[in-house]
């Protein structure tokens, strides 16, 4: 991280944004302890100076609506206390739930703010393991579970999230608007320039009911009816298999003949009737796939929130498999060997999915998590009595907010750690303010979960307020109070350097 004196009393410090998985490089202008401006880092090799309005607003977020210290109690009984007093009380309250109802009565919900704080994710993961917590929830079960499910069923692991090759011949986006969202699971730094770069040597097609900002930049936009994306993909798979080298495809996949039988009914006329597209539009798209040979199929919230989400994701994988587009130039890369070394685990076979919570055992758990939408039912049944919320706001992220808010108020313990007060901190029994991303040394969360294509490191842009400790420090101190130290003997969560912890836990 470089600092320069732009003018008297002013320094500029390089870092990267952690609002989403694009991790755009930023330059923060700092005067004293004030962050006065954020701009894109033109020297960043990935984002090349681009940063979205959310990233440019990091300075304002850093100074406004901050949650400081600890809030203890609900309603008229709520009071501000020291961090230590709040942690002492939280440890006692959690221990009571643990002793009276067991670890199965304690749950953890991790939001984007927790996921994009990798040391916090490490600490809460260690605490969950130490307590034997079974009820694990996160935002990943809200809008993208089809991606992990299909990876698990087709390749044996939910950790495989493909990334587009830099030299694409065809990018096909379905229900995705990366110009605004910067991607879902598959990150899109500097999205406008990336789309233009693909168009320079290839084609970009968008299938979306709306003419989005991304569709406006594409070569072609097909306005298919919502929820019919799977039919478009099935038509393309059918077209490719018409004269494909089946034995060659069978060398890298099983069930090719069954796949052909499945997509056989998806003729151009049938799919046109389902989707509202014309036969000519579908034939044009099929011709583009044939011209390219290989392609990247990228899905987004528009497909993963639809009833047909798992089938759409499955068909997207099928299309890339039959066109030999996985781990090949002009397609999409899994990058399995960077941290997790999945390429060395042969064969990768799906294992039996574990059942979900008692309220809905028919919904399997993915990556050890239960569906977040079932939190109210688990609380109402009395099975969930204490919930720890890590950098998330389930009060507005989950469906049926009224029911959820009533349920949260019934919890014996609702412990929330966040940088601002939210609708979820309102019913909390314990709420702690924490450092934001400008106040901590950091690496991308993807470095810990094996999906990173580019590794980064940043020092803190400005010092953290002692009344807003880093999340990992809070959870390490809480765990120690409950008799489960997360650090090595003699180490103090209040004084251990974050850089030391990063070096220790980074793969």
């Amino acid at each position: 991280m470089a600092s320069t004196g732009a003018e008297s009393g002013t320094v500029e410090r390089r870092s990267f944004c952690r609002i989403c998985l694009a991790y755009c490089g930023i330059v923060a202008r700092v005067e004293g302890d004030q962050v006065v401006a954020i701009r894109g880092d033109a020297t960043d090799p990935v984002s090349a100076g681009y940063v979205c309005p959310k990233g440019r607003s990091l300075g304002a977020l850093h100074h406004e609506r901050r949650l400081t210290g600890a809030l203890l109690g609900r309603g008229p009984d709520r009071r501000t206390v020291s961090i230590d007093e709040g942690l002492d009380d939280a440890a006692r309250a959690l221990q009571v739930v643990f002793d009276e109802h067991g670890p199965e009565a304690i749950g953890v919900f991790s939001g984007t703010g927790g996921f994009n704080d990798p040391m916090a994710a490490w600490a809460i993961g260690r605490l969950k393991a130490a307590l034997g917590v079974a009820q694990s929830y996160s935002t990943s079960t809200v809008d993208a579970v089809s991606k992990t499910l299909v990876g698990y069923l087709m390749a044996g692991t939910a950790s495989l999230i493909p990334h587009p090759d830099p030299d694409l011949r065809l990018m096909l986006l379905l229900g995705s608007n990366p110009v605004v969202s910067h991607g879902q699971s598959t990150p899109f730094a500097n999205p406008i320039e990336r789309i233009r770069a693909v168009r320079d040597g290839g084609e970009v097609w968008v299938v979306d009911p709306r003419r989005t900002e991304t569709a406006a930049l594409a070569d072609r936009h097909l306005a298919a009816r919502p929820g019919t994306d799977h039919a478009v993909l099935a038509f393309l798979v059918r077209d490719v298999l018409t004269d494909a080298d089946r034995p060659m495809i069978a060398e890298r996949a099983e069930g090719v003949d069954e796949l052909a039988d499945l997509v056989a009914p998806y003729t151009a006329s049938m799919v046109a009737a389902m989707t509202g597209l014309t036969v000519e539009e579908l034939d044009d798209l099929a011709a583009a796939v044939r011209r390219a040979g290989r392609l990247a199929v990228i899905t987004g919230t528009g497909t993963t929130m639809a009833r047909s989400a798992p089938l759409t994701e499955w068909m997207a994988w099928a299309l890339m498999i039959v066109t030999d587009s996985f781990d090949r130039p002009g397609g999409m890369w899994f990058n399995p060997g960077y941290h997790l070394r999945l390429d060395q685990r042969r064969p990768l076979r799906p294992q039996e999915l574990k059942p979900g919570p008692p309220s809905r055992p028919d919904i399997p758990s993915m990556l050890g998590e239960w569906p977040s939408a079932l939190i109210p039912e688990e609380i109402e049944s009395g099975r969930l009595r204490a919930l720890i919320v890590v950098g998330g706001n389930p009060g507005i992220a989950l469906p049926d907010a009224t029911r959820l808010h009533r349920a949260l108020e019934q919890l014996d313990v609702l412990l929330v750690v966040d940088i601002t007060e939210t609708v979820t901190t309102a019913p909390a029994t314990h709420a702690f303010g924490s450092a934001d991303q400008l106040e901590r040394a950091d690496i991308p969360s993807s470095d810990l979960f094996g999906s990173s294509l580019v590794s980064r490191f940043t020092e803190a842009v400005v010092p953290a307020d002692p009344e807003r400790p880093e999340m990992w420090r809070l959870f390490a101190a809480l765990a120690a109070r409950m008799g489960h130290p997360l650090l090595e003997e003699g180490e103090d969560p209040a004084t251990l350097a974050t850089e030391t912890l990063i070096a220790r836990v980074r793969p």
Side-chain angles (χ1 to χ4, degrees):
M1 178 181 68
S3 298
T4 61
E7 58 186 66
S8 178
T10 300
V11 295
E12 291 189 340
R13 295 182 174 137
R14 296 176 60 207
S15 185
F16 65 94
C17 177
R18 281 142 279 166
I19 290 177
C20 77
L21 297 180
Y23 300 133
C24 296
I26 60 173
V27 177
R29 184 182 177 196
V30 180
E31 295 180 0
D33 62 353
Q34 298 293 302
V35 180
V36 296
I38 300 283
R39 71 172 190 274
D41 182 0
T43 68
D44 187 273
V46 177
S47 54
Y50 173 85
V51 65
C52 78
K54 289 180 287 187
R56 293 195 297 272
S57 299
L58 283 173
L61 180 63
H62 172 74
H63 293 295
E64 298 173 3
R65 299 181 290 108
R66 295 300 297 273
L67 180 59
T68 301
L71 300 176
L72 189 59
R74 285 183 169 126
D77 296 329
R78 172 163 284 189
R79 64 191 188 280
T80 300
V81 299
S82 69
I83 295 289
D84 282 337
E85 183 179 347
L87 287 171
D88 289 342
D89 194 88
R92 285 193 297 268
L94 285 170
Q95 193 66 52
V96 168
V97 173
F98 184 90
D99 292 341
E100 294 183 359
H101 305 283
E104 59 272 13
I106 301 175
V108 173
F109 177 92
S110 295
T112 303
F115 175 81
N116 273 338
D117 184 340
M119 294 306 99
W122 171 84
I124 197 64
R126 292 284 300 272
L127 178 58
K128 286 193 296 185
L131 294 177
V133 170
Q135 298 211 39
S136 186
Y137 306 93
S138 82
T139 49
S140 68
T141 63
V142 177
D143 68 345
V145 71
S146 60
K147 292 179 181 288
T148 53
L149 175 63
V150 168
Y152 187 89
L153 294 176
M154 293 190 74
T157 172
S159 301
L160 290 177
I161 302 295
H163 300 258
D165 182 56
D167 299 317
L168 286 177
R169 306 166 194 168
L170 174 61
M171 178 186 289
L172 174 58
L173 298 116
L174 300 100
S176 179
N177 187 15
V179 169
V180 173
S181 69
H182 306 95
Q184 180 207 52
S185 302
T186 302
F188 261 81
N190 203 358
I192 294 175
E193 291 304 316
R194 285 189 65 181
I195 290 171
R196 288 173 176 166
V198 175
R199 291 191 64 187
D200 284 344
E203 300 176 66
V204 176
W205 287 63
V206 172
V207 178
D208 200 298
R210 295 178 57 246
R211 184 165 178 79
T212 63
E213 291 84 350
T214 302
L217 295 176
D219 292 281
R220 290 286 297 274
H221 168 221
L222 305 185
R225 291 190 183 103
T228 62
D229 305 88
H230 66 285
V232 175
L233 294 170
F235 163 76
L236 294 175
V237 172
R238 179 184 186 276
D239 185 77
V240 170
L241 289 178
T242 300
D243 54 7
D245 187 339
R246 299 272 188 95
M248 185 175 293
I249 297 174
E251 291 179 2
R252 58 179 179 268
E254 298 175 349
V256 179
D257 292 337
E258 291 88 341
L259 173 65
D261 292 340
L262 176 67
V263 299
Y266 287 84
T267 63
S269 58
M270 172 189 171
V271 174
M274 290 178 63
T275 63
L277 302 175
T278 67
V279 170
E280 291 74 18
E281 287 175 318
L282 292 167
D283 286 341
D284 287 349
L285 177 56
V289 173
R290 288 179 174 269
R291 282 194 301 272
R294 293 176 181 148
L295 76 162
V297 182
I298 299 168
T299 56
T301 304
T303 61
T304 58
M305 296 290 278
R307 292 174 64 89
S308 57
L311 181 55
T312 297
E313 201 67 28
W314 193 85
M315 281 293 175
W317 275 53
L319 178 59
M320 287 185 281
I321 290 170
V322 299
T323 55
D324 194 26
S325 296
F326 277 149
D327 283 344
R328 295 289 189 273
M332 296 190 81
W333 296 95
F334 286 115
N335 193 40
Y338 182 38
H339 286 318
L340 299 183
R341 296 182 176 87
L342 296 176
D343 54 341
Q344 298 178 16
R345 304 181 191 177
R346 300 292 183 185
L348 286 175
R349 297 291 185 186
Q351 299 177 0
E352 184 178 356
L353 291 174
K354 295 181 179 180
S359 58
R360 288 296 302 274
D362 55 310
I363 301 179
S365 64
M366 288 298 303
L367 295 174
E369 293 186 355
W370 291 354
S372 296
L374 299 181
I375 289 177
E377 189 161 346
E378 290 299 302
I379 296 173
E380 292 161 357
S381 68
R383 289 185 290 264
L384 178 58
R385 308 188 73 91
L387 182 65
I388 301 172
V389 177
V390 187
N393 192 9
I396 60 173
L398 304 184
D400 198 351
T402 301
R403 180 187 181 191
L404 175 64
H405 291 172
R406 285 198 301 263
L408 293 177
E409 292 173 349
Q410 297 173 25
L411 286 165
D412 297 342
V413 180
L414 175 57
L415 191 162
V416 181
V417 180
D418 212 325
I419 65 172
T420 65
E421 293 194 43
T422 68
V423 297
T424 305
T425 61
T429 58
H430 305 77
F432 295 88
S434 68
D436 69 10
Q437 60 177 268
L438 297 179
E439 298 171 309
R440 65 179 191 253
D442 221 348
I443 57 175
S445 59
S446 52
D447 271 20
L448 294 189
F449 298 99
S451 60
S452 180
L453 296 179
V454 177
S455 187
R456 302 174 184 269
F457 170 77
T458 180
E459 297 174 345
V461 172
V462 291
D465 186 317
E467 288 299 300
R468 298 196 294 260
E470 292 161 273
M471 286 189 188
W472 76 262
R473 298 186 192 278
L474 289 166
F475 290 121
L478 177 67
R481 283 167 165 81
M482 298 184 71
H484 303 288
L486 307 185
L487 304 178
E488 296 180 2
E489 186 175 355
E491 291 181 334
D492 185 350
T495 58
L496 182 69
T498 300
E499 291 86 345
T500 300
L501 187 62
I502 289 173
R504 181 181 302 164
V505 306
R506 189 178 194 173

